[in-house]
Amino acid sequence: MVLEMFEHFLSNLPNVTAETAADLDEALAKIEQGGAFDLVLLDLNMPGMNGTSGLSKAIALNEGKPVAILTSNPSQKVVSDILSLGGAGLILKTTSLKDLGNEVNFIAAGGRYIPVDLIETQRVKTQDTTSTPLSDRETTVLNLLAEGKPNKEIGSDLNLAEPTVKMHVKSICTKLGASNRTQAVIVARDLNLI
């Protein structure tokens, strides 16, 4: 039903004729039989896609014409993979019908399209991972904690008294919202701080 509605909507756009396929194999067969399409739009989760590997197959068959991805909430890795493989862009399933028509026409005309929301999300994530609540000394102590070193050894490595190391560990735990040194290391890894 969704495929039929999608085909019906796109076919009603000016100068657009749409065909749909239930899975990647059927889509590839249609490209092989009918020749290159002005635009191939693949659902990232359609059967046979196997992540973005289906994108490469469609690009190879579509004779240099644009191939883009339709998906819901892609990770930044998926967005990066789509672009590095030569994909013409990405259309979100949450886009409005008006925007869908514009995005399809833009990509079919040779443009590369990534929704601004995804670019903004990437920018915010980059800012989040590059800014750290920890001082340089705390980051150094945290890295030694990640190596499993006890406070006494950290103090020896950094030429600090053991109570000073304990103070840094306590500060690290507070800033990262961790209840102990092990949890602090786990949180820091999740935040790409180490």
Side-chain angles (χ1 to χ4, degrees), residues 117-148:
D117 293 349
L118 294 180
I119 296 167
E120 284 295 311
T121 301
Q122 174 61 28
R123 188 181 60 76
V124 169
K125 284 184 180 176
T126 302
Q127 287 175 345
D128 288 349
T129 57
T130 55
S131 62
T132 173
L134 305 179
S135 68
D136 290 344
R137 176 62 81 183
E138 289 166 343
T139 301
T140 304
V141 170
L142 179 62
N143 282 309
L144 294 172
L145 286 176
E147 292 174 18

Side-chain angles (χ1 to χ4, degrees), residues 28 33 44 48-49 55-56 58 63-64 73-74 129 134 137 139-140 160 169:
L28 296 177
Q33 292 164 3
L44 186 63
M49 276 296 286
L55 175 65
S56 297
E63 300 173 9
N73 188 20
T129 57
L134 305 179
R137 176 62 81 183
T139 301
T140 304
L160 296 173
V169 171

